[in-house]
């Protein structure tokens, strides 16, 4: 049985006061309620230590939004996987569409980032997704399959044992346009079948999140789909009540 996971991606939002208050509120809400899913928050890098500290006695995981593809050295502005480990970060997003389109990160870069994370025992949360043009041209499955295979082809099942995949159609991110539960389920099933080519058992245990305008109204039906194991939540993760409601629907 796969456990559900709800991960919040704060993107470049928040400050010290916001992060401290959010952490306190979320912890209190989760302590007081029966929430059975795993919960993860990905703040901007300057707030990783604050959250790791605030969540140290809880099960809430802290994730980075990105990681360097190199291990150390003259890479101004970068944050290495060993630094994330040093800050008690359990996971890192990689290959988010904003990183791919705005910062030119390619499948090769993403694979190098996986390698760094695997070395440090940090969970890679690999984001994949097609643009609207790619979907309309009928290429969605192929595009997303290629993004996943770019990682699967380079690593062993053992190295990828903690991998999480997040399917995020680019046209649904921050637009209010959620993929329908059927559209999302179809892609998740496809991704799992691609993963089966590497290893059947591993594919069955692989967590595949859906992301793209998830909110407390759409979460329940999305998360009820057989191959959707939770969500990667952007905008709606900035409001603690809304985010908590999403966790409750998982
Ligand atoms: P959104 O973002 O929920 O605001 O659409 C999701 C994401 O980019 O991870």
């Amino acid at each position: 049985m796969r456990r559900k996971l709800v991960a919040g991606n704060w993107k470049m939002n928040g400050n010290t006061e916001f992060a401290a208050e959010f952490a306190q509120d979320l912890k209190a809400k989760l302590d007081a309620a029966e929430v059975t899913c795993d919960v993860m928050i990905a703040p901007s890098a300057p707030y990783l230590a604050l959250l790791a500290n605030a969540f140290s006695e809880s099960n809430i995981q802290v994730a980075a939004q990105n990681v360097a593809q190199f291990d150390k050295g003259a890479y101004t502005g970068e944050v290495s996987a060993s630094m994330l480990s040093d800050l008690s970060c359990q996971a890192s997003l990689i290959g988010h569409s904003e990183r791919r389109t705005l910062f030119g990160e390619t499948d090769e870069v993403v694979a190098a980032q996986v390698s760094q994370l695997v070395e440090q025992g940090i969970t890679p949360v690999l984001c994949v997704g097609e643009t609207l043009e790619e979907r309309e041209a009928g290429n969605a499955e192929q595009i997303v399959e290629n993004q996943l295979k770019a990682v699967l082809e380079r690593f062993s099942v053992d190295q990828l044992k903690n991998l999480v995949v997040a399917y995020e159609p680019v046209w649904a991110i921050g637009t209010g346009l959620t993929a329908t539960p059927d559209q999302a389920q179809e892609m998740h099933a496809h991704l799992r079948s691609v993963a089966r080519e590497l290893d059947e058992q591993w594919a069955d245990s692989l967590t595949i999140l859906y992301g793209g305008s998830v909110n407390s109204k759409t979460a329940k039906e999305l998360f009820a789909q057989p191959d959707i194991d939770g969500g990667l939540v952007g905008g709606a993760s900035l409001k603690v009540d809304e985010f908590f409601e999403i966790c409750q629907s998982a």
Side-chain angles (χ1 to χ4, degrees):
M1 239 329 246
R2 296 185 297 271
R3 273 177 74 81
K4 292 268 196 270
L5 166 65
V6 176
N9 172 12
W10 285 357
K11 310 196 179 186
M12 200 172 72
N13 294 294
N15 55 28
T16 301
E17 191 187 349
F18 169 85
E21 272 180 22
F22 187 103
Q24 202 178 19
D25 286 358
L26 182 64
K27 229 170 34 164
K29 282 178 192 299
L30 290 170
D31 281 349
E34 290 241 345
V35 170
T36 50
C37 67
D38 290 326
V39 177
M40 182 186 279
I41 298 287
S44 289
Y47 309 112
L48 286 168
L50 187 160
L51 285 195
N53 193 28
F55 295 149
S56 61
E57 274 159 33
S58 75
N59 293 326
I60 307 170
Q61 299 176 47
V62 178
Q65 295 176 8
N66 191 32
V67 66
Q69 58 181 304
F70 308 107
D71 65 345
K72 64 174 179 203
Y75 301 105
T76 302
E78 291 291 281
V79 175
S80 72
S82 66
M83 291 169 184
L84 297 184
S85 164
D86 191 27
L87 294 177
S88 305
C89 229
Q90 293 104 325
S92 178
L93 309 184
I94 44 167
H96 189 281
S97 70
E98 287 150 19
R99 301 295 319 170
R100 292 180 192 262
T101 49
L102 301 173
F103 302 98
E105 290 182 359
T106 60
D107 283 339
E108 285 65 38
V109 170
V110 171
Q113 292 169 321
V114 172
S115 171
Q116 296 298 326
L117 293 172
V118 164
E119 188 101 339
Q120 296 296 328
I122 297 174
T123 298
V125 180
L126 169 67
C127 305
V128 298
E130 82 287 358
T131 63
L132 188 58
E133 276 169 15
E134 289 163 345
R135 176 163 283 263
E136 285 175 351
N139 296 332
E141 286 201 347
Q142 193 59 53
I143 294 287
V144 169
E145 175 175 333
N146 292 349
Q147 290 170 340
L148 177 59
K149 279 189 169 165
V151 168
L152 301 194
E153 278 166 358
R154 289 172 166 91
F155 299 91
S156 67
V157 177
D158 190 48
Q159 287 172 308
L160 297 180
K161 60 180 185 295
N162 296 328
L163 183 77
V164 171
V165 175
Y167 168 57
E168 299 202 305
V170 179
W171 47 272
I173 296 179
T175 56
L177 287 174
T178 317
T180 64
D182 284 350
Q183 276 174 325
Q185 165 56 29
E186 200 179 328
M187 189 62 89
H188 282 231
H190 179 63
L191 287 169
R192 202 177 300 286
S193 76
V194 172
R196 278 209 176 89
E197 293 168 24
L198 187 65
D199 187 274
E200 298 234 351
Q201 225 180 342
W202 172 76
D204 284 337
S205 66
L206 177 67
T207 298
I208 309 180
L209 307 179
Y210 169 78
S213 298
V214 173
N215 60 39
S216 59
K217 295 190 178 60
T218 55
K220 207 175 175 87
E221 210 186 335
L222 283 162
F223 298 172
Q225 303 303 310
D227 287 293
I228 300 185
D229 307 313
L232 178 55
V233 185
S237 74
L238 291 168
K239 294 176 219 120
V240 72
D241 291 338
E242 174 82 3
F243 183 70
F244 174 68
E245 254 191 74
I246 297 171
C247 295
Q248 281 184 308
S249 25

